[in-house]
Amino acid sequence: MTLLRDRDLAHAFDHASRTYDRLTGLNPGYRADLLRSARRLRLPGDGAGLHLLDLGCGTGVSTRALLRAAPRARITAVDASAGMLSRALDKPWPESVRFLHLSAEELSTAGEGPFDAVFAAYLFRNVSDPDAVLATVRTLLRPGGRLAVHEYSLGGSPAHRALWTAVCQGVIIPAGTLTGDRALYRHLWHSVLDFDTAAAFTGRLTRAGFTGARALPLAGWQTGITHTFVATAGEAAR
């Protein structure tokens, strides 16, 4: 299967935005795991005085997790899908949160930042050039700024691939077919199988110049399927 990329993927998310929150709500632990990953940024003082970036915010579920983890921070949330952003904007937000219609690749020339931390959920396996996006993130982060990536990234065991395929074929793709979004959820299935393993993405972070890169597991059925990756931007990032 050819994966959806760039404009085609954004359009697929536009269409799926109508039912996205309802479908992700069927995933046990979906919101709790996002909050766990956001808290793994370990931001001091509830984020007081910090400017945070939610990169690929979708319908704002990840933004809500970041806000709960750092309620006193200023948050900029961006996404390439206008439909997903529209759903996010329909929700109540404090004045400290703002949303922008930008792709990850566009951020480098948008005049945004610098940021004290970046949170990116379910983003990197969906971009055409993850190394280029990581380079952009480094330039946007202050030296010593923190990155947390919440991503479907398999642990490398054949059992993890088999479980992911079983969940997709038995639950995710049939549900997406009912909503008219079969292509997007088939993309989800294959994008995870084709993406870096947890060890490979940790290595990618290190090669991109981040320090202290680690893959942290998540509990429940997603153990070995979804990880939080944490890392720090070094002095050379600026």
Side-chain angles (χ1 to χ4, degrees):
M1 173 187 173
T2 301
L3 297 177
L4 300 174
R5 290 299 185 204
D6 303 325
R7 186 168 298 178
D8 289 337
L9 184 57
H11 287 165
F13 275 116
D14 288 344
H15 187 270
S17 65
R18 300 167 299 117
T19 56
Y20 191 82
D21 284 346
R22 193 182 319 149
L23 288 182
T24 57
L26 298 175
N27 180 348
Y30 183 88
R31 286 164 175 75
D33 283 344
L34 282 169
L35 178 57
R36 184 172 292 110
S37 288
R39 284 176 170 162
R40 284 171 168 171
L41 282 166
R42 304 179 75 85
L43 299 173
D46 288 338
L50 301 182
H51 188 192
L52 313 181
L53 173 65
D54 183 16
L55 184 57
C57 64
T59 63
V61 180
S62 58
T63 315
R64 187 71 65 191
L66 191 56
L67 181 62
R68 288 183 62 189
R72 300 175 65 191
R74 183 162 53 101
I75 298 173
T76 296
V78 305
D79 201 274
S81 164
M84 299 290 268
L85 273 181
S86 177
R87 299 293 168 177
L89 287 166
D90 284 342
K91 300 170 183 177
W93 300 99
E95 292 184 359
S96 59
V97 178
R98 66 174 182 144
F99 291 89
L100 298 175
H101 184 204
L102 291 170
S103 70
E105 294 82 356
E106 291 169 335
L107 267 172
S108 60
T109 58
E112 295 297 321
F115 297 97
D116 299 287
V118 173
F119 186 47
Y122 304 119
L123 171 78
F124 279 97
R125 63 185 163 74
N126 284 325
V127 298
S128 298
D129 189 345
D131 291 323
V133 175
L134 282 172
T136 295
V137 170
R138 280 194 75 215
T139 63
L140 291 171
L141 275 169
R142 298 184 189 277
R146 302 176 186 180
L147 169 66
V149 175
H150 179 98
E151 187 58 273
Y152 291 120
S153 181
L154 301 180
S157 165
H160 298 149
R161 295 179 67 87
L163 176 58
W164 175 246
T165 292
V167 169
C168 287
Q169 293 184 343
V171 180
I172 295 174
I173 295 173
T177 300
L178 290 174
T179 63
D181 299 302
R182 179 179 176 84
L184 177 62
Y185 291 102
R186 281 183 58 82
H187 162 87
L188 170 62
W189 171 30
H190 286 281
S191 69
V192 175
L193 295 179
D194 290 355
F195 188 58
D196 293 347
T197 63
F201 190 70
T202 303
R204 190 188 291 272
L205 287 167
T206 300
R207 291 192 300 275
F210 289 90
T211 61
R214 294 184 295 152
L216 305 175
L218 291 160
W221 77 269
Q222 293 191 106
T223 301
I225 293 175
T226 310
H227 293 82
T228 314
F229 298 88
V230 294
T232 302
E235 290 292 332
R238 298 303 301 168

